[in-house]
């Protein structure tokens, strides 16, 4: 039996986290979803568990998502990290690409979440 995937949703918007959680669980009820409201909280969480996927908002109070993703990349070099953001500036996209981090535009939709989690569905 394969173990469920673990996903960390990082967004200062509780509504965005809830939507992403609901979309994921509607497709995979056994997956484990962790949440963080800030970049700092996300970095604390990944010290205690290793997510299979991190969905990271960019614009958050305190440490922004890009800085948090950069730190997380050092802690979890092989983790799948994707920015999920309304900030579609070219500089943000380019930096994400340099870090090997995915990029998905908001708003969060079921189709976008399905696209982000698709690679996990084939992993044991």
């Amino acid at each position: 039996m394969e173990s469920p995937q673990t996903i960390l949703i990082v967004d200062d918007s509780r509504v965005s986290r809830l939507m992403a959680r609901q979309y994921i669980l509607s497709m995979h009820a056994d997956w484990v979803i962790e949440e963080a409201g800030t970049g700092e909280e996300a970095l604390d969480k990944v010290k205690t568990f290793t997510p299979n996927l991190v969905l990271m908002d960019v614009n958050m109070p305190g440490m922004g998502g890009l800085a948090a993703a950069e730190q997380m990349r050092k802690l979890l070099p092989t983790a799948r990290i994707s920015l999920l953001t309304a900030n579609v500036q070219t500089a943000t996209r380019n930096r994400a690409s340099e870090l090997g981090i995915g990029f998905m535009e908001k708003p969060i939709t079921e189709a976008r979440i399905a696209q982000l989690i698709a690679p996990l569905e084939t992993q044991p």
Side-chain angles (χ1 to χ4, degrees):
M1 165 125 176
E2 57 188 57
S3 59
Q5 301 287 343
T6 303
I7 298 177
L8 176 60
I9 301 168
V10 187
D11 199 311
D12 59 321
S13 163
R14 195 173 152 273
V15 172
S16 290
R17 293 194 313 266
L18 188 64
M19 286 175 59
R21 170 188 283 274
Q22 286 179 323
Y23 290 145
I24 294 164
L25 292 177
S26 72
M27 292 177 257
H28 299 282
D30 63 330
W31 285 15
V32 177
I33 312 291
E34 293 282 338
E35 296 181 21
T38 66
E40 293 89 345
E41 188 184 344
L43 289 170
D44 280 345
K45 282 195 177 255
V46 299
K47 291 174 185 167
T48 60
F49 80 102
T50 303
N52 300 98
L53 173 66
V54 178
L55 301 179
M56 178 84 69
D57 186 21
V58 170
N59 298 320
M60 295 183 288
M63 180 186 289
L66 204 51
E70 201 166 336
Q71 295 284 321
M72 202 171 282
R73 173 58 68 224
K74 291 174 188 161
L75 295 169
L76 307 169
T78 61
R80 296 181 61 82
I81 303 172
S82 184
L83 298 177
L84 196 60
T85 180
N87 178 344
V88 294
Q89 297 172 1
T90 305
T92 304
R93 284 180 190 261
N94 291 346
R95 187 68 187 126
S97 180
E98 287 168 17
L99 294 169
I101 294 170
F103 189 96
M104 180 72 65
E105 286 180 33
K106 278 188 174 176
I108 294 171
T109 64
E110 197 161 357
R112 287 179 174 157
I113 292 294
Q115 191 178 337
L116 287 168
I117 67 171
L120 299 182
E121 295 172 330
T122 57
Q123 286 183 352

